[in-house]
Amino acid sequence: MRKLLSGNEAIARGAYEAGVTVATGYPGTPSTEILETLVAHKDEVYCEWAPNEKVAFEVAAGAAIAGARCITTMKHVGLNVAADPLMTLSYIGVVGGMVVCVADDPGQHSSQNEQDTRQYARFAKIPVLEPSDSDEARRFVKLGIEISETYRVPVILRSTTRVSHSRSLVALDERTPSERPVGFEKNPQQFVPIPVWGRKLRLDVEERLARMAAAASTSPANRIEWRDRKLGIVAAGIAWQYVREVWPDASVCKIGWGYPFPDTLIREFAAGVEHLLVVEELDNILEEHIRSLGIACEGKNVVPPTGELSVTRLRQSRAAMEGGEIVVAPPPPDDLPARPPMLCPGCPHRGIFYGLTLHDVLVTGDIGCYSLGVFPPLNRTDIILCMGGGISLAHGMDKAGEPRKVVGIVGDSTFFHSGITGLLDIAYNRGSSTIIVVDNRTTAMTGHQDHPGTGRTLMGEKTAEVSIEAIGKACGIHRVTTIDPYDLKRVQEVLNEELAAEEPSLIISRAPCPLHQRKPHGPPRIIDPASCKNCGMCLKLGCPAIERHEVISINALLCTGCGMCEQLCRFNAISVTEE
Amino acid sequence: MSQGPQITSVVFAGVGGQGILLASEIMARTAMIADFDVKTNEVHGMAQRGGSVIAQIRYGQEVFSPLVPDKEARILCGLERIKALRYRHYLAADGWAVVSDQVIVPVTVSMGHATYPSDARERLHAFFPNLLYINALEMAQSLGNARAANTIMLGAVAAKLDLPKAAWEQAIQECVKSQYLSINIKAFECGYSFE
C-alpha cells in the first residue's frame, strides 16, 4: 500500500514498523510532527514530550539500556542541549535499538543557525543515516534500529527541512516487534564510565568505528549508480535528488550512511571515474575526508557551502564547472512590500510588547513566537541567543552594569525547557532583572504542543499542571505577579511598579494562544470613519488585522476581537460590530 | 536538462491562512490517483505567522527534487494579487500565471513603511504573457463563503493541467471535511470553467 507522507510522518511510520516502544522528544521545527504522528499508535508506543531535549534523550537512553527499542526527536539546535548525554552514551552504549532523529534546517527557514548534525556523529563517533525522501526516511529508521542493536550504539538519523516537510510516496510494511524482553542486566563495567572502566570503553569505541565503516561500505543505504564515467558524483542525503536532476548522465555514489565513512565504497567509486565531485548540504565533511584518503575531488569550490541546495543552485555549479553560462531567472521586483512574519491578530504577547514600548528598557528575548516582538512597530527585542537564554542574558547584562533596566522575556514552554535554571541564578546571585514569562498555555510556534504547564500529556492524559508562580517563588523570587496581557492599563501599572523594583521580579503574562483556542475573543471590532482621526495610534500595536489603505480599517476576517485597539483609541472610534 | 520536461511543476504562493496547504494536498492526491509519482513541499513554522507561504507540487513518471527549479513551473498560482510577482522566477517561459485579484495589505504597508503597488494588474499583464486574472474572493462570496476562494483558484489551475477531472473530484472528496464538501465542489467547478 502506497501513501503520500511527509518525511516526518514517514519517520514515525518507520519507528512503528521497527517495533519502537518508547518515543520521546521536544518540539522544534522541522522535527515536531514525528511524535505527533507516532502518538496515533499510543497503545503500542509510549510517547512523551519531555521538558527539553536533554531529558528526552536521557529518557530514551534509559529505555534503550533497559532493552526497549526507542527513538528521540529534536531539531538540530536541540542536539546541543542533549550533547552531554550523547557523548557518553556513545561509550556505554545501548541494548535495545536507539535512533536519535535530528532535523537540520539548511537555509534557516525556522532556525537561528545552520549547524550540520553530521559533525555530531563524527564528534560522538556514532553512525549517521541521511534519508533523501520519505520512503527512505521510513526504511532508514528501521536500518538505524538494526545498526544500533548490532553495534550497541545510538544512531543519528539526520533529516533536513526538505526531507521532513516534503511529501512523497511511501510503501507501508507491517510492524516487527522486538523479541528481546525488557529487563536491565547489571554490568557496571559497561554502564558506569568511571575512569577506570571509561578508558576501556574509549578503546571499544574506536574498534567499533572500524567495524561499522566496513559495514557502511556494503550497506544498501550506500550504492553506486554507474553511468557515464567522465564525472562521478558523491551525493549525500537529499542532495542526491538534486544531483539526479542536474546530472542525469553522471555516475553517482549515493550516500545514505555517511559516517563512519564507507571508505571501501568511496575508493571503488573514485577509481572508476575520471573526475570526482562531492555534493553535500552544509559542511564539507565527506569532501574533506575523501581528500584525506588521497583522492582528488571538487566540492565546496563549486557547490555552495551555506544555505540550502537546490536544482537551481546546482545548475549554477554545473555551469561553473563546465565553463558554461546559464540565464538566471529574474529576481522579484525590489519595490514589492515585504511581508515579514508577525504576531497573529489577537496574540496576547502583543499586550506585553506594546506595554514595553512605553519604557526605555533593554529586552533579552528567547526562542518562540515572541521573537516576533523584534519587528516594528513593537521593536521590543534586542537580543536572542538560545532557548532559556533570555533569562540568563538579562542577568549577565545587569551584572555587567548595563545602565538601562534589562527585561528578559521567555515563553512558558521555554521557561520549563531551560529558563528555570536562569531564574534560579538570578535569585541565588542577587540579581535585579525583571523576567516576564509570556504564558500562552502551549508551545505555540511549533504548532501547539503540550508541556508541563498545560496539564495534559502528549498521549492525551490529564496530569499535574505545573505552576510557574510556584516555581518562581521556590527559586527565591519574592516579587511574582500574574497579569492579563489584554488589559493594557493593568499591564502598564505592573510594568511601572516592577521595572522600578530593586530586586528581581517575575511577571507572568497569562492568556491562551488564540490560534490554539480556535475561537475568537469576541466580535470583530470596526472603526467608525466619522470618529476616526486617522491618528494611527491603533497601528502601534502592529496587528495584521488593522489595515491602512488611505483610511484605517479592521479586516473582519482576521480580527479576533481582542479589544486592545479599542483600549488605545483616544477618539472612541473603535467598537464592536453591530451584528 | 533532460529530466525537466517529464515532470510537471506547480507553485502556489499566498499568505498564511489562505488555505494553500489544502490546495496543495488536493493536487498531490489528484496526481497520485492518476498514478503519477508525486512530491510536494510546504513552508512550516516561523514562516507561517502571517508571512508569505508557498507550496510546491511536482508530478511525473519519476520525480526527484521536491523543490521546483527556477523557470520550470507550468503554473504559478498567486492567491494574493502581488504574490505571483514575488515568485515569478519559478514560472516557465510558456507557463501560466493564475492570479487572484484579492489584496491582503501587509503590515509594512499599514505602518507606512512600504507601499502596495497601485499598478499591480498592469504589471502582472506586462510580466506574464499567459495570465489568468480572477476575482476569486468576490466569486467565493457570491457562492456564500469567502474561504472557498482558494478552491476556485485550484479549479482554474486544474483546467490548465493534464490530470483527469474525475481524479480531481475524487481527491476533493478525500481531502475536504464533509460539511465543506459541497461548497468546495461548487467553488472548484467555478474556477475550472473560468474563462
Side-chain angles (χ1 to χ4, degrees):
Chain A
M1 181 179 160
R2 291 195 318 164
K3 283 184 90 167
L4 189 66
L5 297 184
S6 71
N8 282 346
E9 290 166 339
I11 290 170
R13 179 69 201 182
Y16 172 76
E17 291 178 3
V20 161
T21 56
V22 174
T24 67
Y26 182 79
T29 311
S31 72
T32 314
E33 301 84 2
I34 301 171
L35 287 193
E36 290 183 318
T37 306
L38 190 51
V39 76
H41 296 291
K42 64 184 176 184
D43 293 344
E44 292 162 281
V45 186
Y46 167 80
C47 298
E48 73 163 46
W49 289 129
N52 67 33
E53 295 86 353
K54 178 176 185 287
V55 174
F57 188 99
E58 291 157 348
V59 171
I65 290 168
R69 288 182 179 162
C70 57
I71 63 164
T72 184
T73 73
M74 60 201 67
K75 69 182 293 175
H76 59 334
V77 287
L79 191 58
N80 299 332
V81 180
D84 192 3
L86 170 75
M87 299 308 289
T88 304
L89 187 65
S90 167
Y91 284 35
I92 70 174
V94 295
V95 178
M98 173 165 168
V99 172
V100 185
C101 303
V102 186
D104 284 2
D105 190 17
Q108 293 175 252
H109 300 278
S110 312
S111 306
Q112 61 271 40
N113 79 23
E114 202 178 45
Q115 66 188 54
D116 186 332
T117 290
R118 296 177 303 158
Q119 300 280 18
Y120 267 112
R122 191 162 61 166
F123 194 18
K125 299 175 186 287
I126 62 173
V128 62
L129 303 177
E130 294 179 74
S132 71
D133 66 11
S134 297
D135 196 55
E136 224 167 51
R138 177 190 67 89
R139 286 186 281 121
F140 280 11
V141 175
K142 296 161 77 169
L143 176 65
I145 290 288
E146 192 186 307
I147 295 170
S148 177
E149 292 186 351
T150 305
Y151 299 94
R152 302 193 56 254
V153 64
V155 173
I156 293 179
L157 182 91
R158 181 217 193 195
S159 183
T160 63
T161 299
R162 294 305 177 184
V163 174
S164 282
H165 285 168
S166 293
R167 288 173 200 279
S168 57
L169 296 173
V170 173
L172 306 189
D173 262 349
E174 297 297 307
R175 176 169 167 93
T176 314
S178 169
E179 283 166 17
R180 177 187 292 103
V182 170
F184 176 68
E185 286 178 38
K186 191 173 170 74
N187 181 1
Q189 295 180 352
Q190 184 67 45
F191 294 119
V192 185
I194 54 173
V196 60
W197 293 324
R199 284 190 286 267
K200 165 71 173 57
L201 296 173
R202 171 77 187 85
L203 298 176
D204 294 347
V205 165
E206 294 301 319
E207 183 270 333
R208 182 184 71 195
L209 267 184
R211 283 189 291 132
M212 292 192 299
S217 277
T218 56
S219 166
N222 297 326
R223 67 165 184 260
I224 294 175
E225 298 164 353
W226 288 119
R227 290 184 197 173
D228 187 280
R229 301 215 180 198
K230 280 204 257 337
L231 176 68
I233 304 174
V234 178
I238 195 168
W240 175 80
Q241 305 280 2
Y242 308 140
V243 163
R244 276 284 59 129
E245 263 185 67
V246 176
W247 286 275
D249 303 323
S251 291
V252 171
C253 179
K254 179 185 185 305
I255 301 292
W257 179 356
Y259 187 82
F261 300 110
D263 287 351
T264 310
L265 188 78
I266 289 170
R267 284 182 203 276
E268 180 198 339
F269 183 66
V273 297
E274 289 173 33
H275 289 285
L276 193 65
L277 167 69
V278 181
V279 181
E280 53 193 326
E281 214 162 36
L282 301 183
D283 296 344
N284 58 348
I285 298 173
L286 279 166
E287 177 191 348
E288 263 185 358
H289 177 73
I290 289 170
R291 287 226 175 87
S292 81
L293 296 176
I295 299 169
C297 64
E298 298 201 74
K300 294 298 178 185
N301 55 322
V302 287
V303 177
T306 59
E308 194 175 26
L309 298 182
S310 64
V311 168
T312 301
R313 290 183 95 189
L314 290 181
R315 279 183 184 155
Q316 285 160 3
S317 303
R318 180 171 178 171
M321 286 169 70
E322 293 173 357
E325 256 188 66
I326 54 170
V327 184
V328 293
D334 53 15
D335 64 337
L336 291 184
R339 201 181 287 277
M342 304 291 301
L343 291 174
C344 303
C347 176
H349 302 337
R350 185 171 281 111
I352 290 296
F353 283 117
Y354 175 74
L356 287 169
T357 62
L358 307 180
H359 296 268
D360 180 26
V361 291
L362 209 153
V363 179
T364 55
D366 219 301
I367 310 289
C369 292
Y370 42 94
S371 62
L372 299 174
V374 70
F375 291 117
L378 297 168
N379 280 324
R380 267 300 174 265
T381 297
D382 297 293
I383 306 145
I384 289 176
L385 182 62
C386 61
M387 292 284 287
I391 295 182
S392 331
L393 285 171
H395 182 57
M397 296 196 131
D398 187 31
K399 288 294 181 187
E402 163 58 40
R404 276 172 296 172
K405 180 80 181 180
V406 187
V407 177
I409 291 193
V410 65
D412 41 343
S413 189
T414 308
F415 178 77
F416 294 118
H417 178 283
S418 48
I420 297 170
T421 40
L423 190 68
L424 190 61
D425 189 46
I426 291 175
Y428 170 52
N429 285 307
R430 306 168 58 87
S432 62
S433 314
T434 302
I435 302 303
I436 304 176
V437 179
V438 285
D439 177 9
N440 60 3
R441 317 299 297 152
T442 185
T443 317
M445 181 61 103
T446 45
H448 305 114
Q449 291 74 34
D450 281 297
H451 62 59
T454 66
R456 224 176 77 106
T457 68
L458 172 58
M459 310 232 288
E461 303 144 321
K462 276 195 159 212
T463 186
E465 195 175 314
V466 177
S467 157
I468 297 170
E469 287 86 342
I471 289 179
K473 284 180 183 154
C475 284
I477 307 285
H478 301 301
R479 304 181 69 95
V480 177
T481 321
T482 305
I483 52 174
D484 169 5
Y486 294 110
D487 183 347
L488 296 181
K489 187 159 162 266
R490 176 72 184 141
V491 166
Q492 215 40 254
E493 282 166 13
V494 170
L495 286 178
N496 287 338
E497 212 165 288
E498 298 307 310
L499 292 175
E502 297 289 320
E503 58 175 316
S505 91
L506 176 66
I507 301 171
I508 295 122
S509 161
R510 178 167 296 133
C513 170
L515 283 191
H516 191 36
Q517 293 286 97
R518 292 179 168 276
K519 60 173 190 219
H521 295 89
R525 298 306 196 262
I526 49 167
I527 298 180
D528 172 16
S531 314
C532 176
K533 306 279 185 246
N534 212 11
C535 70
M537 190 66 195
C538 55
L539 292 171
K540 292 188 174 178
L541 288 167
C543 175
I546 309 177
E547 301 174 347
R548 179 183 239 164
H549 219 38
E550 285 155 15
V551 296
I552 303 174
S553 62
I554 295 175
N555 184 330
L557 279 180
L558 297 178
C559 178
T560 68
C562 79
M564 282 191 217
C565 56
E566 188 177 348
Q567 295 172 54
L568 282 188
C569 182
R570 285 173 288 203
F571 305 103
N572 293 320
I574 303 178
S575 59
V576 298
T577 44
E578 279 144 26
E579 296 89 37
Chain B
M1 316 246 172
S2 68
Q3 297 292 335
Q6 298 152 25
I7 301 173
T8 301
S9 300
V10 175
V11 174
F12 285 92
V15 177
Q18 279 195 294
I20 213 165
L21 301 187
L22 179 65
S24 149
E25 192 190 336
I26 293 171
M27 178 172 297
R29 185 71 67 102
T30 307
M32 210 178 133
I33 292 166
D35 221 22
F36 284 110
D37 186 21
V38 59
K39 287 187 177 170
T40 73
N41 186 271
E42 302 134 8
V43 184
H44 289 234
M46 182 79 146
Q48 267 183 322
R49 297 284 176 265
S52 297
V53 178
I54 77 164
Q56 313 187 35
I57 303 102
R58 308 187 79 204
Y59 64 88
Q61 288 314 313
E62 187 177 13
V63 179
F64 293 102
S65 166
L67 301 178
V68 175
D70 280 1
K71 300 189 291 182
E72 272 196 22
R74 294 295 320 144
I75 296 174
L76 169 60
C77 177
L79 295 180
E80 199 267 357
R81 192 180 291 182
I82 56 172
K83 277 288 127 187
L85 289 174
R86 179 169 301 282
Y87 294 102
R88 63 187 188 181
H89 57 94
Y90 283 117
L91 193 62
D94 58 350
W96 275 86
V98 178
V99 176
S100 165
D101 75 345
Q102 184 178 353
V103 171
I104 299 176
V105 181
V107 175
T108 47
V109 170
S110 292
M111 286 178 328
H113 295 169
T115 45
Y116 196 96
S118 53
D119 59 344
R121 185 167 185 172
E122 292 72 20
R123 288 167 73 168
L124 286 162
H125 275 290
F127 198 81
F128 301 116
N130 298 323
L131 174 71
L132 201 57
Y133 191 70
I134 306 178
N135 54 341
L137 184 62
E138 208 178 296
M139 285 164 70
Q141 279 160 345
S142 70
L143 288 178
N145 189 340
R147 293 188 194 279
N150 62 325
T151 313
I152 294 177
M153 296 301 293
L154 182 68
V157 168
K160 301 263 173 237
L161 294 171
D162 54 359
L163 297 168
K165 184 126 182 272
W168 284 103
E169 286 160 0
Q170 186 186 334
I172 292 171
Q173 297 208 351
E174 288 172 9
C175 296
V176 175
K177 283 189 191 146
S178 58
Q179 70 263 41
Y180 303 116
L181 193 57
S182 76
I183 176 86
N184 274 286
I185 287 173
K186 263 193 264 173
F188 182 84
E189 280 299 333
C190 214
Y192 200 85
S193 53
F194 185 86
E195 293 292 331

